[in-house]
Amino acid sequence: DQQVKQNSPSLSVQEGRISILNCDYTNSMFDYFLWYKKYPAEGPTFLISISSIKDKNEDGRFTVFLNKSAKHLSLHIVPSQPGDSAVYFCAASAKAGNNRKLIWGLGTSLAVNP
Amino acid sequence: NAGVMQNPRHLVRRRGQEARLRCSPMKGHSHVYWYRQLPEEGLKFMVYLQKENIIDESGMPKERFSAEFPKEGPSILRIQQVVRGDSAAYFCASSPLPPKETQYFGPGTRLLVL
């Protein structure tokens, strides 16, 4: 049962335009959400996060939006650059006792075309 | 990938052999997570360890797989009697203190079982 879903396995965008990557979740106990970026043959790199008490977090070209009622979050990249081409993973976190566990989506492969 | 070390980067084993994957967390981090990424799939949580303790091993296969994080030295993921289905990328991540959510990943070890 996939608690974190990234329904688009791939996305292609022109350089300079906006990239929108979507993520849906099912567990209402999730209270922290993260986006990671992964290049081939490398480990994932933390990109941006958002707490459930917020609905938006912005860091440079990257903005994450959270819609708790819809259990949906999205990552906006604007303007998109060819170097943004990578696989983007959405992850959600819930407290379990004294610990936390990240639940990961399957990823969306973004291609930014020059 | 800030400072988490994994070795070897690539490992080739024949069926029935043992594979040992090592992970040195970032300086000051005492929490280690192991993930596996099978071809064409997302990241799957395997195990979460603190120094000398296994906190959550709910993602570990019941047989042949074990993990440790000794007081001194790196964390070790050990796979005994490897089979072809164990071929995957194995990533280690570390964090400074749960319930801090952000995990920092190493470059991964790519295991190929012949």
Side-chain angles (χ1 to χ4, degrees), chain A residues 1-74:
Chain A
D1 179 33
Q2 197 73 18
Q3 295 186 59
V4 177
K5 298 178 184 178
Q6 294 179 254
N7 291 318
S8 298
S10 63
L11 176 67
S12 183
V13 171
Q14 280 301 116
E15 181 179 6
R17 306 293 288 269
I18 185 171
S19 295
I20 300 177
L21 296 98
N22 294 304
C23 180
D24 296 292
Y25 61 96
T26 56
N27 188 344
S28 58
M29 298 302 292
F30 289 142
D31 60 359
Y32 204 86
F33 304 89
L34 306 92
W35 284 95
Y36 282 77
K37 175 180 174 180
K38 185 182 180 303
Y39 292 117
E42 294 185 13
T45 302
F46 170 71
L47 196 57
I48 192 170
S49 62
I50 188 167
S51 165
S52 60
I53 62 173
K54 295 186 175 180
D55 55 17
K56 177 182 175 181
N57 188 25
E58 189 173 353
D59 183 2
R61 297 185 297 114
F62 302 91
T63 303
V64 56
F65 295 93
L66 175 62
N67 182 335
K68 282 189 295 183
S69 60
K71 293 192 176 67
H72 176 85
L73 65 154
S74 60

Side-chain angles (χ1 to χ4, degrees), chain A residues 2 31-32 34 36 38-46 49 87 89 93 95 98-107, chain B residues 1 9 33 35 37 41-45 48 50 55-56 58-59 91 98-108 110:
Chain A
Q2 197 73 18
D31 60 359
Y32 204 86
L34 306 92
Y36 282 77
K38 185 182 180 303
Y39 292 117
E42 294 185 13
T45 302
F46 170 71
S49 62
V87 177
F89 290 98
S93 173
K95 198 167 182 182
N98 291 325
N99 303 308
R100 281 192 168 269
K101 183 188 288 187
L102 284 183
I103 307 297
W104 296 75
L106 296 181
Chain B
N1 296 333
R9 293 292 305 273
Y33 308 80
Y35 293 86
Q37 185 177 25
E41 293 189 14
L43 287 165
K44 293 290 176 66
F45 167 79
Y48 162 37
Q50 296 178 18
I55 306 303
D56 181 351
S58 58
F91 293 99
K100 193 67 176 174
E101 297 80 5
T102 305
Q103 297 174 13
Y104 298 88
F105 281 79
R110 276 138 192 89

